[in-house]
Amino acid sequence: MGGFYEIHRFRFCRFSFIRAAAFRMQCRQGDTLDIWTAAYGAPAGDTVYMKRFNNGTVTVIVFKEHIVNITLSDPAGPTKAPPDYKDFIPEDSILQNTKEEQDEKGSYKTEMYTSFSLEKAFPLSEGKFAVVTAQSRTDGKYLATVIDCTPLSQ
């Protein structure tokens, strides 16, 4: 779900609905850590490169002051439905292809995207990034969604 429910799930209650919706749209892959901190508040810092927001449900990896990896998961355990990751990818993202795989632990949906704005922030990425959504094989519950361009940006 997006819109009003998404905003309240991410604790934007102190903003008006219209202001929060506009502000929320600024927190995406490729944005700076300062933008994320302004939107979510001070992150919990696991390391210099890894930061957690929203009580650990959003974990980011920082590369040259920009967010290059976002992991969406519930620290309390698997859930029935994944969050809408499209709020976290660059607005100009274009889906290139989709692949589904399974192994003994789960099923994985991989979507490959391109983005001109991401290419501008990380030229070595050539604007390419992946979104991988994982589900448990035993009960089908959602485990995590990872949005990543880090192997391409180093």
Side-chain angles (χ1 to χ4, degrees), residues 14-68:
R14 64 180 182 252
F15 300 108
S16 70
F17 173 72
I18 294 170
R19 184 172 171 208
F23 198 72
R24 173 70 179 94
M25 297 302 288
Q26 294 179 2
C27 289
R28 297 179 181 275
Q29 183 186 35
D31 286 338
T32 64
L33 181 59
D34 290 340
I35 290 172
W36 280 72
T37 300
Y40 285 104
D46 294 340
T47 67
V48 173
Y49 302 104
M50 185 180 292
K51 306 291 181 189
R52 290 176 289 126
F53 292 95
N54 197 39
N55 296 319
T57 61
V58 179
T59 303
V60 300
I61 295 177
V62 183
F63 179 77
K64 295 185 179 181
E65 289 300 312
H66 290 272
I67 305 305
V68 294

Side-chain angles (χ1 to χ4, degrees), residues 9-10 53-59 70-79 82-83 142-146:
R9 191 182 76 170
F10 287 105
F53 292 95
N54 197 39
N55 296 319
T57 61
V58 179
T59 303
I70 303 167
T71 300
L72 307 172
S73 64
D74 188 343
T79 60
Y142 164 76
L143 300 173
T145 296
V146 177

Side-chain angles (χ1 to χ4, degrees), residues 11 20 25 28 41 44 58 68 71 86-87 108 117 137 147 154:
R11 299 180 184 266
M25 297 302 288
R28 297 179 181 275
V58 179
V68 294
T71 300
K86 294 189 187 221
D87 290 337
Y108 311 91
S117 62
R137 187 153 187 182
I147 304 165
Q154 296 184 17

Side-chain angles (χ1 to χ4, degrees), residues 131-147:
V131 176
V132 180
T133 301
Q135 289 181 287
S136 169
R137 187 153 187 182
T138 56
D139 60 12
K141 287 188 178 179
Y142 164 76
L143 300 173
T145 296
V146 177
I147 304 165

